[in-house]
Amino acid sequence: MGPGVVVTGLTLGALAVVSLLAFQANGAQDRAGGPRPTVASTSTGPAASATPSASATPTVPPLPTTSGSGTRVVYSAGSHVVWLVDPKKNPQVTAAFVVTPGSVEPTPGSYSVYSRTQTATGTDGKQIEHVVRFAQQNGVVFGFSSALDGATPSADPKTKTGGIRSGRAEGQLLWDFAPNGTKVVVVA
């Protein structure tokens, strides 16, 4: 066996190891939910999409003037947008993002986060995380969550669900922002 064969064998072996490591790194990123997008942090600018897509990024409207005051989570039942508001920060809107509502919307008003669960199973059977509950009306529980697979499909209209789904990155932001007792304001 000549030196050329040894060098060729070592080179092929090194390429195989590098390829395996690249494959494993790609799989680790997929298991972690893929790349985390940037979420808009202004009340007047657009938000980045929770999942990369070829379509245009949805525009997030400015924070409604009827959303109250103080530190709060604001949810627009009409435009399906969530704003995280902290008046001690500049800008006051620390994040804003589009969500997918359940089949039933909560009545506009002021609520408080009363329950949080790290992981659970949604009424649609999907594994969800960062469940932040804030209201119960007519037997329907309303809360924010994100699916572990990152999906945000429309709710089945035949089932009464109050789960408001976001992407995983946004779900983490809301979870970190809204411990029990945090004000949640629902606007039309």
Side-chain angles (χ1 to χ4, degrees):
M1 190 161 66
V5 173
V6 172
V7 171
T8 302
L10 290 173
T11 302
L12 289 174
L15 286 173
V17 169
V18 168
S19 296
L20 176 63
L21 292 174
F23 175 77
Q24 288 176 334
N26 186 38
Q29 182 180 15
D30 290 344
R31 287 187 301 278
R36 297 211 171 210
T38 304
V39 178
S41 61
T42 64
S43 61
T44 58
S49 174
T51 56
S53 70
S55 64
T57 301
T59 301
V60 175
L63 178 69
T65 57
T66 58
S67 71
S69 62
T71 299
R72 64 203 182 277
V73 175
V74 178
Y75 171 59
S76 170
S79 62
H80 306 125
V81 174
V82 170
W83 295 267
L84 306 181
V85 184
D86 184 346
K88 296 176 187 162
K89 302 230 173 152
N90 187 13
Q92 290 185 18
V93 175
T94 62
F97 45 91
V98 176
V99 294
T100 302
S103 61
V104 180
E105 293 283 10
T107 303
S110 185
Y111 305 91
S112 290
V113 173
Y114 70 86
S115 171
R116 293 166 30 109
T117 304
Q118 182 68 42
T119 59
T121 301
T123 54
D124 58 1
K126 287 199 169 284
Q127 291 300 306
I128 58 175
E129 65 183 351
H130 302 128
V131 182
V132 177
R133 297 175 196 87
F134 63 89
Q136 293 183 38
Q137 298 168 352
N138 300 319
V140 177
V141 175
F142 294 95
F144 304 103
S145 66
S146 56
L148 289 177
D149 67 4
T152 56
S154 296
D156 180 357
K158 296 178 210 153
T159 307
K160 284 187 166 187
T161 60
I164 302 164
R165 290 269 169 88
S166 68
R168 292 188 75 191
E170 293 82 1
Q172 181 70 56
L173 286 171
L174 200 143
W175 176 265
D176 293 341
F177 184 86
N180 283 339
T182 301
K183 185 190 319 183
V184 176
V185 178
V186 177
V187 296

